[in-house]
Amino acid sequence: MAQPHPTTLSLMDDFSLEITGKDSDAVVAAQADIPADTRINVTFLGNEDLETRVTAAKAVRDAGFIPVPHLAARRITSTDEFRQILSTLQDLGLSERLFLIAGDPATPHGPYEDALALINTNELSDYGVREVGISGYPEGHPDVSNAVLDSAFVDKFNALKEQSLEPVVITQFAFDATAVTSWVRQVRTHGYNGQIRIGTPGPAGIKRLLSYARRFGVASSAGIVKKYGFSLTNLLGTAGPDKFILDMQHELDQDPTLGNLAVHFYTFGGLQATAQWVQEFKQKSR
């Protein structure tokens, strides 16, 4: 049964975006299509160096947006490298907001196993960090049990509180609004009442979406078809998160205790394409 059309789209009032270090030029190209002060996260990929990531974060700031650099714990090779990254970001005025993740490598490249290890250095605030983003996994993780994910979330949240750092939760991209809603309710039972940014892909090719979904263990192909709203018979087509966002907004309208939720777009199909899609979606949903 189709959900009633929401009367508002509050989830889109403060949406955020995500780019890679190689997207500096894309930020400039999309500048006119993105509201000022939009948060734009800059990922920490293994095939990009610090200079590339910093250049992208500067491009975000210089375009009038809010940069949120990522740090991937397992890709940091030493304490000295960790401090160098923080010092460089601080010197350029880019360290206030960070997003911390464990990272993809199965074995850490240095002394840091996960995001909690970076938090537990107790050094973040020394470099001007005031807000720390941490991960959420509403549809689980292919390599980590839900119990471990839940425990890690609580540990990170408590460690940030002890250091008077502001936590913000950003979830892995999701396709199932019901699963996300259930997960948000669980998070709230841990005492976290702050913002949760719900990850979803921007418009992208269906084959690419399926590839990312398989890679991150988010959902089966059949599940995506049902919950996200596209057909496997048209793999050359593109799909946007229209249905997912409307379903999430309906859940929030029905249950305001879900709290402060916003959408975080993974720009698999390109930054400008995502930004323009947001404008069009908000316009037609009024």
Side-chain angles (χ1 to χ4, degrees):
M1 179 183 297
Q3 302 286 15
H5 196 285
T7 57
T8 66
L9 268 179
S10 60
L11 284 170
M12 302 285 282
D13 289 343
D14 182 30
F15 69 89
S16 52
L17 299 157
E18 187 158 310
I19 63 171
T20 73
K22 296 176 182 176
D23 289 329
S24 297
D25 291 342
V27 172
V28 177
Q31 183 174 1
D33 297 307
I34 303 172
D37 295 327
T38 296
R39 290 169 177 246
I40 300 182
N41 286 40
V42 181
T43 58
F44 194 104
L45 301 179
N47 60 353
E48 296 175 350
D49 58 18
L50 177 59
E51 182 180 0
T52 301
R53 301 179 195 115
V54 167
T55 298
K58 286 171 61 180
V60 169
R61 181 196 59 200
D62 294 346
F65 310 125
I66 298 172
V68 184
H70 288 202
L71 271 68
R74 295 184 182 184
R75 294 194 184 279
I76 298 173
T77 60
S78 66
T79 299
D80 286 345
E81 184 186 6
F82 177 54
R83 291 172 178 166
Q84 179 193 9
I85 293 169
L86 292 174
S87 179
T88 300
L89 292 173
Q90 183 183 36
D91 290 346
L92 295 170
L94 301 170
S95 66
E96 183 176 352
R97 299 172 181 85
L98 299 179
F99 180 70
L100 307 183
I101 57 171
D104 293 335
T107 302
H109 295 172
Y112 306 111
E113 172 71 24
D114 51 27
L116 182 61
L118 298 180
I119 296 169
N120 282 341
T121 62
N122 292 304
E123 295 187 42
L124 294 174
S125 62
D126 295 340
Y127 293 91
V129 180
R130 299 291 176 264
E131 176 189 288
V132 175
I134 58 177
S135 299
Y137 298 90
E139 296 189 39
H141 189 288
D143 302 318
V144 185
S145 71
N146 287 338
V148 171
L149 291 173
D150 192 49
S151 176
F153 178 90
V154 173
D155 289 344
K156 286 182 285 188
F157 172 53
N158 288 334
L160 291 172
K161 283 201 304 181
E162 289 172 3
Q163 297 178 46
S164 298
L165 294 169
E166 183 71 23
V168 171
V169 177
I170 303 178
T171 77
Q172 177 59 276
F173 63 89
F175 296 100
D176 184 351
T178 301
V180 173
T181 301
S182 176
W183 179 85
V184 170
R185 291 194 180 104
Q186 177 184 347
V187 167
R188 297 307 189 197
T189 66
H190 297 314
Y192 176 70
N193 297 314
Q195 187 174 68
I196 299 177
R197 293 184 169 271
I198 307 299
T200 191
I206 292 173
K207 290 180 71 173
R208 175 172 287 188
L209 288 175
L210 292 173
S211 174
Y212 277 109
R214 284 191 294 269
R215 176 181 172 187
F216 293 106
V218 173
S220 67
S221 296
I224 295 173
V225 171
K226 180 179 179 182
K227 298 162 186 172
Y228 202 65
F230 60 75
S231 172
L232 293 179
T233 63
N234 183 27
L235 294 180
L236 297 181
T238 61
D242 311 51
K243 181 179 184 300
F244 175 78
I245 292 175
L246 291 176
D247 286 349
M248 279 302 310
Q249 186 67 57
H250 175 74
E251 296 281 1
L252 181 57
D253 291 344
Q254 294 296 304
D255 183 5
T257 66
L258 293 173
N260 183 357
L261 306 183
V263 178
H264 178 76
F265 289 102
Y266 293 89
T267 58
F268 300 145
L271 179 63
Q272 189 165 30
T274 300
Q276 291 175 345
W277 178 92
V278 169
Q279 290 184 2
E280 294 167 3
F281 179 70
K282 292 172 75 172
Q283 181 68 34
K284 73 181 182 182
S285 298
R286 289 174 182 169

